[in-house]
Amino acid sequence: MRLSRPFFQLPLLFDVARLQAEVAALPPQAWVAHPDQVPGNSAARLISAGGAETDAVHGRMAPTPWLEAMPYLKQVLAGFGVVWSRSRLMRLAPGAGVPEHADINYHWHTRVRLHIPVLTWPEVRFHCDGEAVHMGAGEAWVFDNWRRHHVENNADGERIHLVADTTGTAAFWRFVQAAKPPRDQWRKVGWEPSADHPLLTEVNPRSPIMPAAEVQWLLDDLRAELVVAVDGPEARARIGRFGQLLESFALDWRQLCALHGVDGVAAPEFQHLAMAIREAARPLSEGLVMRTNGVSALLVLEKRVLQHLVAEDAAGQREGLS
């Protein structure tokens, strides 16, 4: 989800001591390596598909046993009144970092990531699109993860953040974007043993075939961000042809949906069309990037669109196209 600026700090303050106590009580087996095996990065899963030890983003999300053992942290999440997707505690070892990247996958097209630092140090810096902040313990932040960002832990101690994914309600976004009062007027959210806020979790099934309207929406968004890395007549002509290719693909996909529906019975025909656009896009996409983050247009097409067009069907076809 693209935001109007790199960082938003919410006028909320949480009970740091209680957060730290609940996290410290987790057993060592709660912590697992980063899915991409990034050195010094580990996580404890709090909300996951089926409440299981998985990093999947599809399915019925549910609290894990680790979250159930942390009543205040669960109350913190429930108190926002939003629907949560995959959520974790994310830990950075001393001297470790998160390499610069932009989150371009399909999951992030409509979701944002909330950060609540649990254990941190002044030497920890979060960088996004040329700006850098220190997120203090017990604070709440969201940031534009479509932009390029990275994290540095230059402290001697580990850094642990509560990191939770959501699309957010209208009320949530009004709260995020509203003018902030002075810090001494921020709401302090302490432990309330009698609080009865339900924890809302996402149900995110996979459609066998992505509907035509969603394909059009994703491609229109891609085209709106499309620019040339180095300007020139040939590059401008290529960007025009690339845009026409995307529009032609959307029209042909719509026709296949009209002919076969989206139940996956004709998955091979959809797969064939998706593979054809991938091959046609390769030569046209050279030097074409996203305006906001400089990521290759071809990579965004593959990661945000093509890999999610056709899910695994009843015949056991391979999920995605790569």
Side-chain angles (χ1 to χ4, degrees):
M1 182 184 294
R2 288 197 292 276
L3 305 181
S4 60
R5 62 177 190 260
F7 294 103
F8 288 84
Q9 185 175 12
L10 284 61
L12 297 169
L13 295 170
F14 297 95
D15 185 334
V16 175
R18 188 169 186 104
L19 285 173
Q20 291 179 350
E22 290 190 351
V23 171
L26 285 173
Q29 60 266 32
W31 296 96
V32 296
H34 189 278
D36 296 328
Q37 303 301 311
V38 179
N41 284 246
S42 55
R45 301 175 176 112
L46 303 180
I47 296 174
S48 66
E53 289 296 323
T54 175
D55 294 308
V57 294
H58 291 99
R60 180 178 291 276
M61 298 293 156
T64 66
W66 313 124
L67 180 57
E68 295 289 11
M70 293 186 282
Y72 178 57
L73 198 149
K74 186 177 180 182
Q75 177 188 297
V76 165
L77 288 170
F80 282 91
V82 301
V83 177
W84 295 109
S85 182
R86 183 183 62 177
S87 301
R88 296 169 286 183
L89 291 166
M90 301 191 77
R91 183 171 66 179
L92 279 179
V98 177
E100 185 177 70
H101 66 288
D103 294 318
I104 62 173
N105 288 340
Y106 174 82
H107 174 78
W108 295 112
H109 190 63
T110 58
R111 294 174 183 83
V112 72
R113 177 163 277 181
L114 173 80
H115 277 250
I116 297 178
V118 176
L119 181 64
T120 190
W121 312 91
E123 296 88 350
V124 177
R125 306 295 290 177
F126 201 117
H127 300 258
C128 183
D129 198 25
E131 295 186 22
V133 300
H134 170 68
M135 300 179 179
E139 298 175 349
W141 295 75
V142 296
F143 75 101
D144 186 347
N145 57 344
W146 171 255
R147 306 180 196 229
R148 301 195 73 85
H149 57 278
H150 68 282
V151 185
E152 298 171 335
N153 180 10
N154 294 317
D156 294 330
E158 62 187 18
R159 183 225 74 170
I160 299 175
H161 279 199
L162 167 60
V163 177
D165 303 346
T166 184
T167 57
T169 61
F172 173 82
W173 285 111
R174 285 194 296 270
F175 181 65
V176 169
Q177 296 169 346
K180 301 296 182 287
R183 190 179 177 98
D184 61 4
Q185 297 177 25
W186 291 9
R187 183 159 66 93
K188 295 178 174 59
V189 185
W191 165 238
E192 298 179 42
S194 61
D196 189 25
H197 305 299
L199 181 68
L200 307 176
T201 56
E202 187 176 284
V203 178
N204 186 23
R206 287 292 303 271
S207 171
I209 302 295
M210 187 181 288
E214 187 169 3
V215 172
Q216 184 75 61
W217 177 46
L218 291 170
L219 294 177
D220 285 348
D221 186 76
L222 192 161
R223 290 169 67 190
E225 276 274 295
L226 201 58
V227 295
V228 296
V230 179
D231 196 16
E234 197 250 333
R236 289 195 295 271
R238 195 163 57 251
I239 200 172
R241 293 197 300 273
F242 188 80
Q244 290 170 0
L245 177 68
L246 298 183
E247 183 57 31
S248 295
F249 173 73
L251 291 170
D252 289 343
W253 192 269
R254 185 178 298 277
Q255 282 293 285
L256 281 182
C257 289
L259 180 62
H260 298 295
V262 295
D263 61 5
V265 172
E269 292 192 42
F270 289 93
Q271 288 269 15
H272 178 76
L273 178 58
M275 289 178 172
I277 188 181
R278 170 179 281 168
E279 293 309 309
R282 288 186 190 280
L284 288 178
S285 64
E286 183 180 351
L288 305 185
V289 298
M290 298 292 97
R291 180 184 66 252
T292 310
N293 56 26
V295 175
S296 157
L298 181 62
L299 185 61
V300 173
L301 176 64
E302 291 178 336
K303 293 282 191 179
R304 180 157 284 192
V305 185
L306 298 183
Q307 289 184 2
H308 303 276
L309 290 172
V310 182
E312 183 178 344
D313 65 13
Q317 291 192 10
R318 181 168 54 92
E319 179 178 331
L321 300 165
S322 62

